[in-house]
Amino acid sequence: MLFNSLDFLLFLPVTLVIYHLLGQGKRNLFLLAASYFFYGSWDWRFLGLILLSTAVDFHCGRAMHRAQGGARKKLLLLSLFTNLSILGVFKYFDFFVESFRSLVATLGTNWSDSPTLDVILPVGISFYTFQTLSYTIDVYRGRLRPCENRINFALFVAYFPQLVAGPIERAKRLLPQLEQGRSFQWNTFRLGLSLALFGMFKKVVVGDCIAAPYAEQAFLSPTDYDGGFLFFGLCMFALQIYADFSGYSDIARGVSRMFGIELIVNFRQPYLSRNITEFWRRWHISLSSWLKDYVYVPLGGNRQSVLKTYRNLMLTMLIGGLWHGAAWTFVIWGGLHGLYLAIHKKILGKRKLDWEKTPSRLSGWMAAIPGIIATNLVVLLAWLFFRADSFTDAVTYLCAMCSACKSPSGLFAIGLSLLFFHLLVAVVDLVSYLSDDEDHWERRSLPVRAIAYSCFATLIWVAWPTAYTPFIYFQF
């Protein structure tokens, strides 16, 4: 598997060199071939799914633009049916069958002969399905002109830096960049290289080396540890999934910059959020904005009654949870976040949330700290269900962890865990948060940059695991 091995470190520079040596007219075709090779190295058979989705949505988009009335809706339904059927069969069929089997078993009926597919989940299927769905929906809404070039559209769907784990791009952002000429710019290339290096630092050093061992140890056998260590393990998983996923997003964006293409920012220091609404404007931005535009707003958003607004929030987050995985633990994770958002919306009322304004004084920061800690506590509770293998495992872990609250030593361990967690978050994110600049290292002088990048590279080399650890979001 090319993207699960060091072979990628050979694939990328070779691809970059050939790409920049080619003329403008051949670059997209070469990138498309490289993207298909990249994905096909995992399992070439699943290239057929991408090709089917690409062909259906390309022709539906063009035909939809020329059609009138009900014909346009039929073409949209064809696109929705094709993409959601692929996603449903390969990701959710067995889940729904097994859930129905459990339901009828509680009613005293045996349905053990129910059919299951037991197929491997294609890597990245949730990401590219949502990406191509946004294209046909935007064409149907009249917000986007259809792409007339097959190569450009196929590259939009299969562009390898963000194919397997996002960010989920919109056609109105990515397609114009693919359609225009791109020349080599050293400053842009350098920015991409530094962003990819920092992303690798987060993934390998923070996620794999610091957080993963403790998180895996705690969740492997929670009954063997006291509540204080279990809370620490949960904090470490929260840090692991953030460093892992935001690290991948930084690598994808950095690699893409080297090709002269800018991808959407997917994370903005989410663990420094002062409330849950701000958290979802900083965490997995490409997914949260997709859910808002294509689920929450079509359901009615906040334009209806208060109860319907809460319903829309809950349904949107339940779909977001199910998008992550075919298991009830993901549904519960989404439901908890829907509940959090509804409660915060009730508390907020009609007040405008100025979430982008960072505290400028020490007094402002001191006032923000309780909100940051409270937000992370409820996020941690939801992460427990996200990480657990089953609802039973999650409840077992939660009960064992709550035992720490019964003793002063346990409460002290929880306090230390929270302190360590937030100190690591500050080390990784505080400078970017205060400066609102992810490229802040590039604004430094050459000697400072050289020292910083040398430290990042050295730490990555020292912490590099003996066995490659796949990115967490590859499974979604």
Side-chain angles (χ1 to χ4, degrees), residues 33 51 62 64 84 94 140 171 244 288 343 347 409 430 466 469:
L51 292 171
R62 295 178 67 194
M64 202 183 302
L84 294 179
D94 287 354
Y140 175 78
D244 191 282
S288 59
I343 293 173
I347 296 173
S409 61
L430 189 58
T466 55
T469 305

Side-chain angles (χ1 to χ4, degrees), residues 195-210:
L195 183 58
L197 179 65
F198 187 59
M200 186 62 74
F201 166 78
K202 287 197 286 187
K203 156 67 177 172
V204 174
V205 178
V206 180
D208 292 348
C209 183
I210 297 177

Side-chain angles (χ1 to χ4, degrees), residues 429-471:
D429 278 346
L430 189 58
V431 175
S432 297
Y433 181 80
L434 293 175
S435 63
D436 193 25
D437 183 9
E438 64 179 11
D439 297 317
H440 60 88
W441 286 112
E442 285 295 318
R443 317 301 179 203
R444 305 292 188 256
S445 62
L446 179 59
V448 173
R449 293 203 311 269
I451 294 172
Y453 297 151
S454 297
C455 289
F456 289 151
T458 302
L459 287 170
I460 292 170
W461 179 73
V462 171
W464 193 270
T466 55
Y468 179 78
T469 305
F471 288 94

